[in-house]
Structure formats: C-alpha cells, structure tokens
Amino acid sequence: MVKTNLTVISNFIFLGFTHYPKVEITIIVLCSLMYLVTLLGNIVLISVTILDSHLHTPMYFFLSNLSFLDIWYTSSALAPMLANFVSGKNTISFSGCATQMYVSLAMGSTECVLLSMMAYDRYVAICNPLRYPIVMNKRVCVQIAAGSWVAGCLTSLVETVSVLHQSLCGKNIIDHFTCEILAVLKLVCVDTSTVQLIMLVISVLLLPVPMLLICISYAFILSNILRITSVDGRSKAFSTCAAHLTVVVLFYGTALSMYLKPSAIDSQELDKFMALVYAGLTPMLNPIIYSLRNKEVKAAVRKLLIRDSLCALLIHSNK
C-alpha cells in the first residue's frame, strides 16, 4: 500500500451530491437561496446594530458577533460548493482545503461557545434585571466575545493541524461538498486514534457542555416566565424561548450526531445533509429568530429606511 503525506497532495476532488443526480440541482438551488438569505439577513442586522444607538446593548453586541461569524461560516462551506457547481470543477487545492477546514471549524466552534454565552446574557437580563448593567458591562461583554473567538480559533487550529499531519494512501477524493474534517480523516491510512481522541475531547467541550449551559439558563428563564401574570406576555415569552431553543437544537443536535457518534457507524451521505443544516440552515435562521422578529430591530430598520428615503428625496430635489 502506497502511503503519501497529506502535504504532497496538490488538490482534492469533491464528490458532493453526485450520488443524487436527480436532486442535485434542487439542492444547489436551495443552498443558493439559503446563502443569499443568510448574507442579506446578517448584513442587515450588523448594519442596523451599528447605525442605531438604541441597539448598542450587550444582547445586540453578541448578535452582531454571531451574524459576523455566520457570514464567514456559511461562506466557507456553501460559497465554494456553489462556485464549483457553476464552473463545473469539483476540485480544491491543498492550501484551499486547509483554509476551508480551518475557517469552518473556527466559525462553528466559536458559535458553540458564543451561543452559550448569549443564553447566559439572557438569563442575567431576565432573572436578575437590576444587576444586569453591572454584571454585563461593556468590558465583560468584550471579554466574553473575545474569549469565544479565541477558544474557537485555537481548538480549530489544533484539530486542523492534527489531521493535516497524517498520511494518505494516495487518495484525494473527498466524499463531501466541503473539506469537512471527518471526510478528510477517512482518507488517512495510518492509525488515527490520537487524532480521534483530540477531536473527542474538543467535541465534548464545545458541544454537550455549552448545550447543557444553555439548557440550564433557559430552565431558569422559563421558571421566571411562569411568574408573569399577563397571559399575552407569558405566551410571547414562551414563543421567543421556543424559537431560540429550536435553533439551538438544530445546530447542536446535528453537530452532536456527527462528531460524537460511534466510530462504527458510517453515515457519510447523511452527514452531508446534516452539514447543510448546521452550516447553511441555522446561519440563515439565526438573524430571523434572534433579531428580525424583534420589535426593536423592526423599528430600527423602518427608521433607517425612512431616513434613507428622505435623504434620497432631498438629494433629488436639490438637483
């Protein structure tokens, strides 16, 4: 058996969804729509948060961070796939694959940590409103956001380097639509127990632990909501929490089923569709669920649109 160091491989070939020729076009169209909606929704949210001073709060600070990383996250996974489909070339260079793997892992890992911190922010705001300005001051918010980014980038660097130092058996065909770390790891022909152990430890720290913190935070939030006397207020609060938890379950659930499943289970085809959920669907839903349903954001968008319309009218009248 011929063993080839991974760095010798000059390019990789994606199989993508070629096993499903009848639905491949449908998948590409849906991915294109998801990508466009993700870009539009997250760019609007970031712009509104920056331009409207009323949204300069910890919650929208974290949401802006989430939107920024979601743009990079979905762009690292979906944009190259769509570009390859249009060009008809399902290939990627070694350096491109390494970059794609690192960016995807970094953004996904950062989101895992950030979502748990956002849940804690909501817990403090709802359960301890009087202490909220003190606990979640500007310095603390910056530290939390920076810590999330550092944790995500460092863990992804460890995982990427650990895989890229392995050896291949002369194979360069990736059975995926992106340089997903598990798909690349299947090309390795040497013992991967050390790499799998590293990935297991990191996956446990980034998936079930943050999800447990989110569940605990929302348990306290829901118990506090039950004390609301207004039926309308209680139903709105429950609706908001349910929407948030739905996105959390989609994101963490699909990631957990991929990265913490028994090694004996081989479900590569299913993994591709799960990757579309946490790399495409959840980044699209995040700005809709967390922000664009919010009255404050809607009011800010309307105000900015009116202001832009008035500016355009003034410019036109001066001409």
Side-chain angles (χ1 to χ4, degrees):
M1 185 178 290
V2 179
K3 294 184 180 181
T4 309
N5 189 277
L6 192 59
T7 55
V8 175
I9 301 295
S10 60
N11 60 71
F12 293 95
I13 300 171
F14 293 127
L15 290 183
F17 296 97
T18 53
H19 295 311
Y20 308 96
K22 293 182 179 180
V23 296
E24 187 178 16
I25 298 296
T26 304
I27 293 172
I28 294 297
V29 171
L30 290 175
C31 288
S32 300
L33 292 174
M34 282 195 298
Y35 184 50
L36 290 174
V37 173
T38 299
L39 288 181
L40 179 61
N42 285 294
I43 289 173
V44 167
L45 178 58
I46 293 173
S47 302
V48 169
T49 303
I50 293 173
L51 295 174
D52 195 316
S53 59
H54 294 94
L55 301 182
H56 293 176
T57 62
M59 182 178 75
Y60 291 106
F61 171 73
F62 291 130
L63 285 173
S64 296
N65 275 268
L66 181 64
S67 292
F68 181 74
L69 72 86
D70 274 343
I71 290 172
W72 281 98
Y73 192 17
T74 191
S75 294
S76 66
L78 297 187
M81 180 187 73
L82 297 174
N84 286 338
F85 180 80
V86 173
S87 64
K89 297 179 180 179
N90 291 328
T91 60
I92 189 171
S93 65
F94 168 78
S95 59
C97 185
T99 303
Q100 187 182 54
M101 184 188 297
Y102 173 74
V103 173
S104 295
L105 284 172
M107 297 303 102
S109 301
T110 303
E111 184 160 347
C112 288
V113 181
L114 189 61
L115 285 174
S116 64
M117 294 298 99
M118 288 169 61
Y120 173 72
D121 170 70
R122 291 298 84 208
Y123 157 73
V124 177
I126 295 173
C127 300
N128 296 284
L130 297 179
R131 297 187 60 217
Y132 181 66
I134 300 172
V135 175
M136 300 301 293
N137 58 63
K138 186 177 181 179
R139 181 181 178 183
V140 171
C141 291
V142 171
Q143 289 175 342
I144 288 175
S148 300
W149 282 96
V150 170
C153 292
L154 286 180
T155 53
S156 65
L157 181 63
V158 171
E159 289 183 296
T160 303
V161 171
S162 65
V163 170
L164 296 183
H165 271 80
Q166 302 302 307
S167 298
L168 300 180
C169 300
K171 299 177 182 178
N172 69 333
I173 299 175
I174 301 175
D175 190 9
H176 212 283
F177 62 85
T178 182
C179 281
E180 205 276 326
I181 189 168
L182 294 178
V184 175
L185 193 61
K186 289 182 178 180
L187 304 181
V188 176
C189 59
V190 296
D191 180 38
T192 59
S193 56
T194 303
V195 178
Q196 289 179 351
L197 179 60
I198 292 172
M199 291 178 61
L200 176 63
V201 172
I202 292 176
S203 296
V204 169
L205 291 175
L206 292 179
L207 291 170
V209 172
M211 190 171 183
L212 178 61
L213 294 175
I214 292 173
C215 291
I216 292 172
S217 297
Y218 273 97
F220 281 108
I221 291 172
L222 290 173
S223 66
N224 201 69
I225 290 172
L226 290 174
R227 300 172 190 170
I228 299 176
T229 55
S230 170
V231 177
D232 290 336
R234 191 187 306 166
S235 63
K236 288 179 181 178
F238 270 122
S239 175
T240 301
C241 287
H244 290 184
L245 289 175
T246 299
V247 175
V248 167
V249 169
L250 277 174
F251 179 75
Y252 286 99
T254 51
L256 279 168
S257 64
M258 279 189 60
Y259 291 100
L260 291 179
K261 68 183 178 184
S263 57
I265 299 177
D266 186 11
S267 56
Q268 187 60 40
E269 297 305 317
L270 182 60
D271 287 352
K272 295 178 189 178
F273 291 97
M274 287 186 176
L276 285 179
V277 173
Y278 67 73
L281 183 61
T282 52
M284 179 187 73
L285 292 177
N286 279 338
I288 299 172
I289 298 296
Y290 282 105
S291 303
L292 299 181
R293 294 170 70 247
N294 191 299
K295 291 181 179 179
E296 292 177 333
V297 176
K298 289 180 180 178
V301 171
R302 282 196 297 267
K303 186 166 67 175
L304 289 174
L305 289 175
I306 292 171
R307 189 176 69 182
D308 290 343
S309 299
L310 290 174
C311 289
L313 287 172
L314 287 173
I315 293 172
H316 182 72
S317 60
N318 288 333
K319 289 181 179 180

